[in-house]
Amino acid sequence: MKARGFTLVEMLLALALVGLVMVGLNTFVFSMTELWGRNLEPRRFDQHVRAVTRFLEHELRTAALPPTAAAGTPGIVPQELRTAAGATEDLLTFELPAGSRLLAWPERPLPEVVCALALRRDEGLVLLWHSRLERDYATDPPRETVLTPLATGLAYDYYDPAFRKWESLPALRKGTTGELEAPGRIRLTFTHGTLTRESVITLPTATEGLPVY
């Protein structure tokens, strides 16, 4: 018995079906590409917010937990600092023994780097820094490095045990005797166009035993 081949009608029908499938696949791929491109900017913005938050969490843990800070010793301290503009600001300071990968030294890098966080209206979130080993450490203002130009808010959260709630303040709080008080958290606001995100970083403290993450 001879093998029967495909007729011309069957071939045309098969080609038509394959064409319909390809059109459907192309429509699906193009719609997914359009959807992905439409959401690309919010995703990149969220990735930026997470990266800045993780970086600060790491640096603050390094400053506040052993071996940098001994148990019971505050590694993150609010202080009044003189900035490069000549003004004084109440800022949250912390020390990084080995510095940070973001610091661009004019000469060789030095250890024992004292840092502070500040918000600049036209610049964003800024890291102020200089080493205790620098010759003019006591007289020269710290250098400044922009961590992110998208930060538009920096607030300090204080916990009230009497009312069991957090209070968010735009500046560091002063106690009854006028000393600056360290907050329990810092709150960052990021803005890009119509997008706004907020991240909260709990400030670690050195305690006896292993740190809890």
Side-chain angles (χ1 to χ4, degrees):
M1 183 178 180
K2 294 183 179 180
R4 181 175 176 272
F6 293 104
T7 65
L8 179 60
V9 174
E10 290 173 334
M11 292 292 292
L12 292 175
L13 181 60
L15 289 175
L17 291 175
V18 171
L20 289 174
V21 171
M22 293 301 296
V23 169
L25 285 176
N26 286 337
T27 303
F28 173 75
V29 170
F30 288 140
S31 63
M32 289 300 297
T33 303
E34 183 181 1
L35 180 63
W36 183 270
R38 191 183 306 128
N39 295 328
L40 183 59
E41 194 160 357
R43 279 197 300 273
R44 286 179 174 173
F45 181 51
D46 290 337
Q47 289 174 352
H48 177 78
V49 171
R50 287 194 297 269
V52 173
T53 302
R54 284 196 299 265
F55 169 79
L56 287 176
E57 286 175 337
H58 176 270
E59 303 298 80
L60 292 170
R61 280 201 305 267
T62 300
L65 299 178
T68 304
T73 302
I76 303 173
V77 181
Q79 292 182 11
E80 183 183 73
L81 293 182
R82 184 170 62 89
T83 65
T88 58
E89 294 184 54
D90 295 335
L91 302 175
L92 207 57
T93 67
F94 53 97
E95 186 167 334
L96 300 175
S100 173
R101 58 185 174 83
L102 294 184
L103 306 184
W105 288 90
E107 299 178 6
R108 64 184 181 88
L110 295 174
E112 300 182 29
V113 181
V114 178
C115 303
L117 289 174
L119 187 73
R120 299 282 186 264
R121 182 179 299 274
D122 299 323
E123 296 180 66
L125 186 64
V126 175
L127 183 71
L128 289 76
W129 56 278
H130 53 173
S131 170
R132 294 184 185 276
L133 303 183
E134 292 185 79
R135 180 181 305 169
D136 301 319
Y137 169 79
T139 56
D140 286 355
R143 302 175 184 83
E144 298 187 3
T145 298
V146 177
L147 295 179
T148 170
L150 303 183
T152 55
L154 171 61
Y156 306 93
D157 290 357
Y158 292 88
Y159 183 71
D160 188 341
F163 294 95
R164 297 182 179 180
K165 67 176 184 178
W166 289 91
E167 180 185 16
S168 186
L169 301 176
L172 290 166
R173 188 173 69 183
K174 291 186 178 181
T176 54
T177 59
E179 78 283 1
L180 293 170
E181 296 181 346
R185 306 184 306 198
I186 59 174
R187 185 179 300 270
L188 296 170
T189 303
F190 299 82
T191 304
H192 177 57
T194 60
L195 303 173
T196 301
R197 300 289 186 271
E198 189 176 79
S199 66
V200 177
I201 301 174
T202 300
L203 302 183
T205 56
T207 57
E208 296 294 342
L210 295 174
V212 178
Y213 294 97

